[in-house]
Amino acid sequence: MAPEEATLETREVRARAWRAGRGRLVVFLHGAAGVPPWNPFFDALAQHCDVLVPEHPGFGATPSPPWLRNVGDMAMYYLDALDALAAERVHLVGNSLGGWIAAELAVRNCSRLASLSLISPAGVRVKGVPMGDSFIWSPQETVRNLYHDQALAERLLAEPPSEEQAELILVNRFAAAKLGWEPRWHNPALERWLHRISVPTLILWGAQDKFLPARYADAWKAQIADARVELIAECGHLPHMEKSELAARKLLDFIGSR
């Protein structure tokens, strides 16, 4: 199911977005690499739901407003975006940086949410369990460390980016550094406010995640009252890319149960 490109206008920011399907609204917040390719994960969701994938301000071709300085600002931006969509109850999904943004949104205000799904989210740090440092990895190391299936990593590395894609990669790296550089990929205050999340929450993690180890899932579950953890075996940091159909099935099962 091919998505349609749309524009999400919020607070004078014209953000690119992609949308497909119909039914319950699912909003997917992407990670630090930018909007992922539309793949079987999104196709499976769009068979049952109205799937909206916006591009964060500052990423890709979406400009960054001067007031956007950190993940907290991004969370407030998306609260405004949900108001602008006038959607009564949204199933919010976020991966990595997008999961962090989604969690920061939820601790502030859950009134627009029907559920929250966090796919290997950043935002929390577990003492004694080091995370990977994506800012010092080479492009090759990044691909190899994000995927458990090294055959898949090899296929991706065998396709060098075009000039346009290389430029987008640089734009996205700059935007990601602005949000996740210091402190590295977490907000020290976030964990103590996770108890404010008052909607059913799914925590989905690749069991072999080398960037944010799957043990981090326990820290999220310990602080969110109605949280369910699902680990995906033989999978790295991007379950929606590496195990797309299985990740979609688990997410749909969760949304369906709500």
Side-chain angles (χ1 to χ4, degrees), residues 96-223:
S96 196
L97 171 62
W100 180 6
I101 295 167
E104 295 271 8
L105 181 157
V107 300
R108 286 163 170 78
N109 188 343
C110 282
S111 63
R112 289 279 188 190
L113 304 186
S115 71
L116 176 67
S117 296
L118 305 175
I119 304 175
S120 47
V124 167
R125 188 152 200 174
V126 177
K127 188 175 181 180
V129 185
M131 63 175 66
D133 193 340
S134 58
F135 291 123
I136 66 172
W137 290 342
S138 70
Q140 292 76 20
E141 287 175 318
T142 298
V143 173
R144 294 189 188 283
N145 288 334
L146 290 181
Y147 293 94
H148 171 69
D149 182 351
Q150 290 303 293
L152 172 58
E154 290 287 353
R155 290 197 297 273
L156 293 171
L157 289 171
E159 302 173 5
S162 65
E163 277 190 32
E164 182 181 356
Q165 289 170 330
E167 186 175 335
L168 283 178
I169 289 170
L170 287 176
V171 169
N172 291 341
R173 282 182 67 85
F174 179 80
K178 179 179 178 180
L179 298 175
W181 180 268
E182 183 61 39
R184 277 293 201 279
W185 293 121
H186 76 292
N187 171 7
L190 176 59
E191 189 171 2
R192 64 176 177 262
W193 297 111
L194 291 178
H195 69 275
R196 289 184 51 82
I197 296 176
S198 57
V199 293
T201 302
L202 173 66
I203 301 163
L204 191 62
W205 225 293
Q208 283 74 39
D209 193 334
K210 293 181 181 177
F211 177 39
L212 297 171
R215 286 174 60 189
Y216 276 47
D218 295 333
W220 290 86
K221 180 174 174 56
Q223 301 301 328

Side-chain angles (χ1 to χ4, degrees), residues 47-64:
Q47 294 296 323
H48 305 276
C49 304
D50 177 8
V51 181
L52 176 66
V53 184
E55 185 172 67
H56 305 326
F59 287 76
T62 299
S64 180

Side-chain angles (χ1 to χ4, degrees), residues 67-79:
W67 46 261
L68 199 157
R69 300 179 181 179
N70 52 46
V71 172
D73 289 338
M74 191 75 82
M76 295 301 294
Y77 161 80
Y78 274 113
L79 280 172

